[in-house]
Amino acid sequence: MAFLQVDNLAKSYTGNDAPVFENVNFSIEKGEFVCIIGHSGCGKTTILNALAGLENASAGNLIMDGREVVGPGLDRGVVFQSHALMPWMSVIDNVKFGVRSRWPDWSKAQIEAQATQYLEMVGLGHALHKKPSMLSGGMKQRVGIARAFAIQPKMLLLDEPFGALDALTRGTIQDELLKIVQATEQTVFMITHDVDEAILLSDRILLMSNGPRARIAEIVQVTLPRRRTRHDMHHDPRFYRIRNHLVDFLVSRSKDPKPAGEIHPPVVRPGEDEPLTASLAA
Amino acid sequence: MKNEHWKSLLLSVVLFAFFIGVWFVATQPKESAQQAAAQDEYAALMGKGAAKSGGFPPPQEIGKAIVTHLSDPFKDNGPNDKGIAIQLGHSLGRVGLGFALAILVALPLGFTIGMSPLLHRALDPFIQVLKPISPLAWMPLALYTIKDSDLSGIFVIFICSVWPMLINTAFGVANVRKDWLNVARTLEVKPLRKALTVILPAAAPTILTGMRISMGIAWLVIVAAEMLVGGTGVGYFVWNEWNNLALPNVIFAILVIGVVGMILDRCFAGLQKLVSYTE
Ligand SMILES: Nc1ncnc2c1ncn2[C@@H]1O[C@H](COP(=O)(O)OP(=O)(O)OP(=O)(O)O)[C@@H](O)[C@H]1O
Ligand SMILES: [Mg+2]
């Protein structure tokens, strides 16, 4: 059984309205990086919140690591779209808050060391004692990432973590996230609107059809080798095959998903027939 | 910026000097000699000094009163002759006690109301009716039930400070950003720790705004309450000096009330600044 198993998940807000999404099925393996893409309002955040235990689904099952997900917990680290840092705490206190929650018995020094280590990992070693209001958007987002990573959760949930950032900053943080995830073998579920970001980071990409009654219409296997960089990726013909496939879905096929009744979305591997470029294969 | 600051200060000084000047000129003794003589005679007859009878006191007399009072602020020669510091002490003591009681009630209650929409709706009608009642209207009831003028004063301060604090605390707690609460939930933070480390700091600026309003009202009310109840305090001091027709003393007391009120307000402004945060 997969690390995370989502079965027939559905959510409706008001009783008589059509559900926001229904029959959502997917699974995530341990150490896998999975992105979900879909048009605004299709229910991505709702799915993530259900995984986080912050919101209850109307129907379906969520099983993580062999246990049913009920309510939020320290085994899942959440990076919120709006970073959600406590503005009255310094950067390090924000991270320490999480660490102390995870390990209440730790000594002050241990907590401090853990928080510092993860803040240094995201390149914020120089800003430990600043207040979040003194940081740029990208730095705040990195604090949020450090806070989520520092509790060493079994799974990370990221809701459009880079949505509010300019392209340049976004690239830098994507590289950082990629490095960290590759080093820590984290299991990650991430929402994004950015097709390139999804290709760079994920092993698989879930494509969601438009709501209401949204579903996972297709699962795209990223056929690029796992060790990839933003720079090299663009030289690979597979990259364009995947990219075209995703954009094509978002532009023309997301409104018209597969007929109802199809419960397990098909897996596609765009560009599988293309040879791997030498530089990447090495 | 710095320049502006000096300009405004200079203007304040000029305005003040102008005000004192007008006051001085307006209160010059009338040189209509006959009348003055007659008045002097009348005053002598009544056994009072000439200076005291001459209408509104000129600024130099206020100055004199200020010097006399401030030179011996701690004197205590019986109930009608206490130094201003002693009277202030009484007033501040009452305000402090009533205010502290109000905090003890308003903070926990406001927290509960803020966390529970049900309780909020249930208690709202009561709060809405009780809030606009002038605190002095409670005085007779307080005197009758408590039978102690000192405690009644404290009660009146309590009742007038409790509403702004309660309402602001409830509002602040109810409007803590959902994101921060979600962070606490995902970190499985226990309720008490959540209340102290997330909700309280998040709502603190709103709570302190409520406290600042409360303190302003309490300082307004204490003077009136002490006039009513008598015995001690700046309110009683004002009333007592009015009965003595000692207007310079009354004006002195008014100044003191203003300055102390300002200092109290500044203190709360400082506290506010301490707990405020920018998102
Ligand atoms: N509290 C709520 N009550 C009623 N409807 C809601 C509520 N929250 C969300 N919805 C509806 O659920 C749908 C999905 O919302 P959700 O926030 O999950 O979308 P999303 O895919 O994350 O969108 P975006 O990409 O813009 O963030 C939306 O159509 C929204 O109108
Ligand atoms: Mg969303």
Side-chain angles (χ1 to χ4, degrees), chain A residues 163-191:
Chain A
L165 305 183
D166 64 283
L168 220 61
T169 323
R170 185 191 287 227
T172 328
I173 307 187
Q174 280 168 355
D175 284 344
E176 249 157 47
L177 183 65
L178 196 63
K179 241 186 289 165
I180 300 167
V181 170
Q182 282 173 354
T184 53
E185 300 265 304
Q186 263 290 349
T187 314
V188 186
F189 178 80
M190 174 167 143
I191 298 175

Side-chain angles (χ1 to χ4, degrees), chain A residues 52-55 72-76 78 80 82 84-89 96-98 100-101 133 140 147 151, chain B residues 176-189 193-194 197-199 201-203 275-279:
Chain A
L54 293 170
E55 216 168 305
L74 284 157
D75 51 356
R76 281 148 291 153
V78 186
F80 296 85
S82 55
L85 300 178
M86 321 261 181
W88 58 88
M89 292 183 193
K96 274 157 78 177
F97 183 72
R100 190 172 292 120
S101 310
S133 58
K140 282 184 214 170
R147 178 173 64 188
I151 62 168
Chain B
V176 173
R177 274 209 10 223
K178 192 85 185 293
D179 277 342
W180 299 331
L181 296 176
N182 278 344
V183 169
R185 286 178 66 198
T186 57
L187 293 174
E188 295 183 40
V189 179
R193 181 162 174 250
K194 181 167 79 179
T197 56
V198 180
I199 298 175
V275 299
S276 72
Y277 51 81
T278 39
E279 283 183 42

Side-chain angles (χ1 to χ4, degrees), chain A residues 5-51:
Chain A
Q5 188 71 43
V6 179
D7 289 320
N8 292 320
L9 202 70
K11 175 81 184 182
S12 31
Y13 276 104
T14 41
N16 41 4
D17 266 9
V20 176
F21 56 80
E22 60 184 357
N23 284 334
V24 165
N25 288 291
F26 65 92
S27 61
I28 299 178
E29 298 298 331
K30 199 161 185 67
E32 214 183 2
F33 197 123
V34 173
C35 275
I36 185 163
I37 290 189
H39 282 287
S40 185
C42 66
K44 304 180 295 293
T45 297
T46 315
I47 291 182
L48 185 129
N49 282 345
L51 295 186

